[in-house]
Amino acid sequence: MDKKCDKKLGVFVCWCGSNIAGSVDVDKAVEEAGKLDGVVHAENYMYMCSDPGQQKVKDTIVEKGLDGVVVACCSPRMHENTFRKAAGSVGLNSYLLEIANIREHCSWVHQNNKPVATAKAVNIIKATLDKVKENLPLETLTIELTKRVCVVGGGIAGIMSALDLADAGYEVVIVEKEPVIGGHTAQVSSSFPYFQNISKLLGEKVKAVLEHPNIKVYVNSEVEVLDGYVGNFNVTIKTRPAFVDSAKCTSCGECLAACPVSLPDEFNRGLSRRGAIFIYNASAEARIPVLRQEDCRHFADFEQSQEEKCRACVQSCSENAIDLGALPGRSEEFVGAIVMATGYDLYSPANLPEYGGGTIPDVVDALAFERMLDPNGPTGGKVLCHSDGRIPKSVMFIQCAGSRDPERHKAYCSRACCMYTAKQARLYKRQVEDGTAFISYMDIRSDSRDFEEFVQVGMEQENLVYIRGRVAKVFEENGRLKVFTADTLTGRQITMDADLVVLAMAMEPKAGVRELAKKMNVTIDGDAFLSETHIKLYPVESSTKGVYLAGCGQAPKDITDTVSQALATAGKIQTMFSNETLIADPLIAEVKDDVCSGCGVCIEICPYGARVMNDFVRISEVNQAVCQGCGACIAACPNKACELINSTSRQFLRVIGDFTSKVKAVV
């Protein structure tokens, strides 16, 4: 027989409107809870998380001298911190308050059986009370804080978050894989819905970054190793050799002409050619040539002697600015927070052979069309057929190319496509007044300010032709493109002629993000997008404390939403940096020294690298600042030497016992 509890416990049952009260008899639950061992107070209230509800909890703790509290409400992820702060404000240790989840775990799954839901709610409350009885009063952990930030990715998300943090007085390090910062935004001609000059706006921001005294930029670089924990990260950065000395280079262009290599230019989406040494883009920041080692014949000619290897660029340079013997560099940066702004890639058109992707020259993706529209692009701002340079008189824009197709391609919507397609079609019509722009669509998703009006103007004033249906095939016939599709509004199959086909390809995570996510201990979803902690409550926090998300690496979005998220991320970091030290949750793992055998299983299994072996005594130890309390070590430990503080095996066995003894009441 269990010893009678000598603690004074309180139970507070929330209605959550009809979310709980619609399925659970809250009066009956309070009545039954009041009979449980140790309970000296039980009541219910419509919205316990409201200010009046929290005040009831605080007043009762003071008046009745409660030693522990159970709030029966929604998921702990929603309001556990809310109630713990309330309890702590009146003197009760915050960790002597627990949440009994009777919404997600009870009322929502038993909506049509109130007696069963009520009985289960009482069992959940009883089990949570048994846990509270053995909870220890804990104190939060204090962690030193390095007030510097590493931003991984130099696209518009990385640029905006870096500028916001730097303007607030914090040092920022940007790590960018490409030779210049700017990302895909540098490939875009203008914005929607106002046709703003993106090149000009981005150029101002890039200049601000490069001239900011608080920002250091690493280009041609990537994160190689990440060590440490929130507030104290050590980032090892690997930088590919530049090969071109920017101090000596005069940007004369002789090396570009001398290079014998000819490859499709990735920045211009294959609309132009480049050598192994080339100018990355037309921006002022990219005036120094870039030599890409993997494309250079000098590095490919392994069997040739040094004298025989290609050195055309070196020989053409009168300033001796090219050094083919340059080596990679490594740097270490110590920071307190990290922003993951890794960006996106477009799903390759080669994955859509039915549309001629990768085989028909006049089938291009949306970024290639953007390069045509850019006055500094490969066509000087003119829309031209890639095959023969003529002006297209009919252009078919195909939306959802690779998106919303769970059986063969990407299941998700890429969000920005409907709007940039409308923008591109309108710009084409302004340039080729006698041309026709067809847009094949599944649905039009114009869900932000002035977006719907933007689409309607294109339809009504610029005569864009929208055809609802998914294109089945694009093929060449007699020198023209044939588009086989259907109009689902009329039920007719249609075969149309087109001079140019533009594919709104799905946005997907940047190549290599899976490996990077492992280095950063950040979780990803099934599509390899970086996962936030909670889509509503913590939309910019990753699964690792101190690592934040911004931009299309987290999910497809347009420039407006990307910038908004980048600024939100910067704001969260500034809030964290407003303190001299960090406060960490003490609900972490611990090791029983007298049981641990030093086998090291927990060290290998820990996803956060929070376990280390004390070689002197051969006992595993927990880095309290790194541990996230996930419980992986508890499950893996063969000797049961690992426990979670305030979630011990003894506590959970009691919780399980509360349910197994009354299984018939809750089936």
Side-chain angles (χ1 to χ4, degrees):
M1 190 175 192
D2 286 346
K3 180 182 177 182
K4 188 174 178 61
C5 177
D6 57 357
K7 294 183 177 180
K8 298 178 183 178
L9 307 176
V11 176
F12 300 86
V13 181
C14 180
W15 293 23
C16 197
S18 61
N19 277 297
I20 293 174
S23 303
V24 175
D25 185 337
V26 291
D27 291 326
K28 180 67 173 176
V30 166
E31 179 185 343
E32 293 300 318
K35 300 175 184 177
L36 298 174
D37 182 35
V39 176
V40 298
H41 180 89
E43 68 172 303
N44 62 65
Y45 188 69
M46 182 171 289
Y47 291 107
M48 197 61 71
C49 61
S50 65
D51 288 341
Q54 292 180 54
Q55 194 60 48
K56 284 179 176 291
V57 176
K58 292 191 284 188
D59 290 345
T60 307
I61 290 172
V62 174
E63 291 171 8
K64 300 198 173 181
L66 299 183
D67 301 310
V69 170
V70 169
V71 181
C73 56
C74 55
S75 166
R77 296 183 71 181
M78 293 290 288
H79 289 298
E80 184 176 66
N81 286 338
T82 302
F83 290 112
R84 282 186 169 169
K85 286 179 181 178
S89 69
V90 291
L92 179 68
N93 187 281
S94 298
Y95 297 95
L96 299 180
L97 182 146
E98 291 284 348
I99 300 296
N101 186 349
I102 63 170
R103 188 179 74 174
E104 287 85 345
H105 290 175
C106 184
S107 67
W108 281 1
V109 291
H110 299 290
Q111 294 182 13
N112 300 319
N113 196 329
K114 201 162 192 173
V116 166
T118 303
K120 183 175 179 180
V122 173
N123 276 4
I124 292 173
I125 292 170
K126 182 179 186 299
T128 310
L129 281 166
D130 280 341
K131 182 177 185 301
V132 168
K133 291 173 185 177
E134 297 195 22
N135 273 8
L136 299 174
L138 305 175
E139 297 297 329
T140 54
L141 305 174
T142 301
I143 302 172
E144 295 299 317
L145 178 58
T146 303
K147 297 184 179 182
R148 300 179 79 238
V149 183
C150 176
V151 177
V152 183
I156 191 63
I159 286 171
M160 295 306 293
S161 58
L163 281 174
D164 207 45
L165 288 161
D167 287 342
Y170 302 111
E171 293 183 17
V172 181
V173 175
I174 297 178
V175 182
E176 170 57 45
K177 289 180 68 175
E178 299 299 336
V180 296
I181 61 174
H184 284 303
T185 305
Q187 296 173 289
V188 177
S189 60
S190 61
S191 67
F192 57 80
Y194 307 120
F195 297 109
Q196 293 169 301
N197 186 327
I198 289 294
S199 297
K200 180 181 178 182
L201 294 173
L202 179 64
E204 293 172 354
K205 295 300 179 183
V206 169
K207 183 180 179 182
V209 166
L210 298 178
E211 294 179 352
H212 206 295
N214 288 339
I215 300 179
K216 181 193 294 187
V217 179
Y218 289 90
V219 294
N220 290 317
S221 302
E222 55 188 305
V223 174
E224 187 174 48
V225 180
L226 176 70
D227 293 317
Y229 48 89
V230 57
N232 296 274
F233 291 110
N234 181 14
V235 185
T236 302
I237 301 166
K238 180 181 179 181
T239 301
R240 297 187 298 278
F243 298 112
V244 180
D245 188 338
S246 59
K248 295 180 179 179
C249 180
T250 60
S251 304
C252 66
E254 292 296 326
C255 58
L256 310 183
C259 182
V261 174
S262 179
L263 296 167
D265 189 330
E266 297 88 347
F267 185 83
N268 286 325
R269 308 300 290 180
L271 298 179
S272 61
R273 310 287 293 183
R274 66 165 178 85
I277 188 167
F278 60 101
I279 300 295
Y280 183 74
N281 61 31
S283 67
E285 294 74 26
R287 66 178 186 83
I288 303 299
V290 175
L291 193 151
R292 192 153 284 170
Q293 184 173 346
E294 57 268 30
D295 299 329
C296 182
R297 290 185 182 179
H298 177 84
F299 297 99
D301 295 337
F302 295 109
E303 298 179 359
Q304 304 294 327
S305 66
Q306 285 296 328
E307 292 75 18
E308 295 174 319
K309 286 184 177 182
C310 179
R311 296 177 59 84
C313 58
V314 176
Q315 294 164 356
S316 68
C317 182
S318 59
E319 302 297 327
N320 296 319
I322 301 175
D323 177 11
L324 297 180
L327 299 174
R330 281 178 175 78
S331 306
E332 287 189 350
E333 296 288 349
F334 295 91
V335 299
I338 294 171
V339 178
M340 297 285 283
T342 51
Y344 72 93
D345 283 330
L346 282 189
Y347 194 49
S348 174
N351 293 313
L352 299 173
E354 64 272 26
Y355 291 167
T359 58
I360 302 176
D362 291 327
V363 175
V364 300
D365 64 32
L367 275 178
F369 197 80
E370 287 287 348
R371 299 310 302 137
M372 292 186 199
L373 294 170
D374 190 340
N376 295 318
T379 63
K382 296 179 180 179
V383 177
L384 302 174
C385 291
H386 186 43
S387 60
D388 54 15
R390 60 191 166 87
I391 298 174
K393 295 299 182 181
S394 62
V395 180
M396 169 63 79
F397 295 88
I398 301 177
Q399 296 190 179
C400 301
S403 294
R404 302 178 65 191
D405 188 352
E407 294 182 359
R408 298 186 305 149
H409 302 293
K410 307 296 183 181
Y412 53 83
C413 169
S414 293
R415 291 192 61 201
C417 315
C418 288
M419 294 307 302
Y420 72 60
T421 297
K423 178 202 73 174
Q424 290 177 343
R426 289 182 63 179
L427 289 173
Y428 163 73
K429 282 289 293 180
R430 293 180 182 185
Q431 190 175 124
V432 186
E433 294 183 4
D434 59 340
T436 305
F438 300 98
I439 299 176
S440 171
Y441 73 101
M442 294 175 65
D443 301 293
I444 301 174
R445 297 186 170 182
S446 49
D447 59 351
S448 192
R449 181 180 178 182
D450 293 336
F451 281 15
E452 180 63 21
E453 294 80 0
F454 183 83
V455 173
Q456 290 299 321
V457 167
M459 291 180 180
E460 297 168 4
Q461 298 181 19
E462 299 183 11
N463 299 317
L464 305 184
V465 181
Y466 277 79
I467 303 171
R468 191 174 189 274
R470 189 184 280 275
V471 171
K473 190 174 183 180
V474 177
F475 55 96
E476 286 184 297
E477 185 177 283
N478 299 325
R480 298 210 67 190
L481 298 182
K482 297 286 185 180
V483 180
F484 185 68
T485 185
D487 184 347
T488 59
L489 297 179
T490 63
R492 293 185 303 159
Q493 291 186 343
I494 305 172
T495 302
M496 307 176 64
D497 291 335
D499 296 318
L500 184 67
V501 171
V502 183
L503 304 179
M505 298 301 300
M507 297 167 69
E508 63 178 359
K510 201 76 172 175
V513 75
R514 292 181 184 273
E515 293 73 21
L516 180 60
K518 289 179 182 178
K519 294 176 185 176
M520 313 299 275
N521 288 326
V522 174
T523 56
I524 57 176
D525 64 17
D527 296 302
F529 286 109
L530 303 171
S531 297
E532 67 283 342
T533 301
H534 192 287
I535 195 168
K536 294 184 183 295
L537 301 180
Y538 307 104
V540 301
E541 288 94 334
S542 77
S543 54
T544 296
K545 291 180 180 178
V547 180
Y548 297 84
L549 312 178
C552 293
Q554 185 254 348
K557 50 182 70 74
D558 61 20
I559 293 175
T560 302
D561 287 348
T562 295
V563 171
S564 297
Q565 188 181 26
L567 297 181
T569 293
K572 292 293 292 185
I573 294 174
Q574 289 177 57
T575 300
M576 181 174 76
F577 284 2
S578 66
N579 302 295
E580 291 304 315
T581 57
L582 291 178
I583 303 300
D585 198 325
L587 298 175
I588 57 175
E590 63 178 353
V591 178
K592 300 175 185 175
D593 293 354
D594 57 336
V595 180
C596 179
S597 65
C599 67
V601 170
C602 60
I603 296 173
E604 296 178 5
I605 204 71
C606 180
Y608 300 98
R611 308 302 292 265
V612 293
M613 181 63 67
N614 185 326
D615 291 324
F616 182 72
V617 293
R618 289 301 299 174
I619 289 177
S620 173
E621 295 179 345
V622 179
N623 185 329
Q624 296 180 334
V626 181
C627 181
Q628 304 288 303
C630 69
C633 55
I634 283 80
C637 181
N639 297 331
K640 307 304 177 188
C642 300
E643 290 278 20
L644 280 181
I645 299 173
N646 278 1
S647 292
T648 63
S649 302
R650 174 183 169 86
Q651 286 176 291
F652 273 103
L653 286 172
R654 291 197 64 174
V655 167
I656 293 169
D658 288 332
F659 282 93
T660 55
S661 62
K662 297 187 178 182
V663 66
K664 293 182 180 179
V666 297
V667 170

